[in-house]
Amino acid sequence: QVQLVESGGGLVQPGGSLKLSCVVSGFTLDQYAIGWFRQAPGEGREPVSFISITEGRTYYSEFAKGRFAIFRGDDKNTIDLRMSDLGPTDTAVYYCAAIEGFSLGPGGVLTNMNAKNWGQGTQVTVSS
């Protein structure tokens, strides 16, 4: 059974950092790339970051470049997303997903991802 489970969300002050984790089971990271999305209150779900372990590639959306980093965790079935310099606009539910396809814009900016399976999400709130 395919499962993705996010953790690491919480309340953080503006300018702070947070690390999210996505633990996958029922498939390996050699079979699917992993993506992080987020959905702010009243907004649609948007792509955040992408990683392909087999191809050694990572991509970020415009707002994530330079502030977020996606990487394989210490556990081989885990993908982490380290977020820094967080602001109130980063408040959202963050989801990880097994990715079937993606698209890039100019400069290699991540613009879209097609998800096959989703996790349940983890809430990130940036507030003082």
Side-chain angles (χ1 to χ4, degrees), residues 6 16 28 30 51 57 78 106 108-109 123 128:
E6 304 94 335
T28 70
D30 293 334
I51 185 168
R57 293 190 289 176
T78 300
V109 172
Q123 175 71 48
S128 55

Side-chain angles (χ1 to χ4, degrees), residues 24-34 50-56 72 75-79 98-99:
V24 310
S25 59
F27 67 98
T28 70
L29 296 179
D30 293 334
Q31 294 176 279
Y32 287 99
I34 298 296
F50 165 99
I51 185 168
S52 169
I53 296 300
T54 55
E55 298 180 354
R72 192 173 200 171
D75 184 308
K76 66 177 182 178
N77 296 321
T78 300
I79 294 296
I99 301 301

Side-chain angles (χ1 to χ4, degrees), residues 35-104:
W36 283 93
F37 295 78
R38 72 183 188 183
Q39 186 166 17
E43 303 289 333
R45 198 168 295 188
E46 62 179 347
V48 177
S49 185
F50 165 99
I51 185 168
S52 169
I53 296 300
T54 55
E55 298 180 354
R57 293 190 289 176
T58 60
Y59 300 110
Y60 300 90
S61 60
E62 191 64 50
F63 65 81
K65 289 180 72 175
R67 297 192 301 131
F68 294 7
I70 189 169
F71 53 96
R72 192 173 200 171
D74 293 336
D75 184 308
K76 66 177 182 178
N77 296 321
T78 300
I79 294 296
D80 290 339
L81 181 72
R82 185 171 57 232
M83 308 183 294
S84 59
D85 193 22
L86 289 166
T89 56
D90 295 310
T91 294
V93 178
Y94 284 72
Y95 301 88
C96 66
I99 301 301
E100 292 184 303
F102 66 97
S103 56
L104 303 176

Side-chain angles (χ1 to χ4, degrees), residues 1-4 25-27 98 116-117:
Q1 181 180 0
V2 172
Q3 275 194 313
L4 299 98
S25 59
F27 67 98
K116 176 178 174 62
N117 302 96

